[in-house]
Amino acid sequence: KVIDTYKLAPSKADTSVYPIKFRHESSIMQIVSHPLLMEFKECLLTKTQVYLVTELIDGKDLFEYVKDYQHLS
């Protein structure tokens, strides 16, 4: 997943804090391990974008599933 850093802030604020926040969040996501959760691999940062690298999962995404079936259970 690719996230533009300018979309994360409500204004044109200093984006130098984003690397710290994403490194912290990615370290937590790497610790979490469960068979029903998508595995997080790593977080790559540039000045303008954040790249979240995850396990590849075949099939529909959660949004499509809920849209088709109207519920999760």
Side-chain angles (χ1 to χ4, degrees):
K1 179 171 182 135
V2 180
I3 303 168
D4 293 323
T5 55
Y6 70 88
K7 291 182 180 179
L8 299 174
S11 66
K12 299 285 183 187
D14 179 22
T15 58
S16 63
V17 71
Y18 293 129
I20 297 167
K21 289 182 177 182
F22 275 100
R23 295 271 184 229
H24 178 72
E25 185 73 20
S26 67
S27 67
I28 293 170
M29 290 168 57
Q30 286 176 330
I31 294 170
V32 176
S33 177
H34 190 278
L36 298 179
L37 295 177
M38 177 175 55
E39 183 180 353
F40 176 79
K41 301 291 187 179
E42 66 180 308
C43 178
L44 306 168
L45 303 167
T46 67
K47 286 185 177 184
T48 59
Q49 294 178 319
V50 177
Y51 298 89
L52 300 175
V53 182
T54 62
E55 167 187 20
L56 178 62
I57 299 176
D58 292 332
K60 294 182 180 180
D61 64 9
L62 182 59
F63 176 77
E64 292 296 323
Y65 181 89
V66 172
K67 189 172 82 174
D68 290 346
Y69 296 100
Q70 304 295 318
H71 56 81
L72 294 175
S73 58

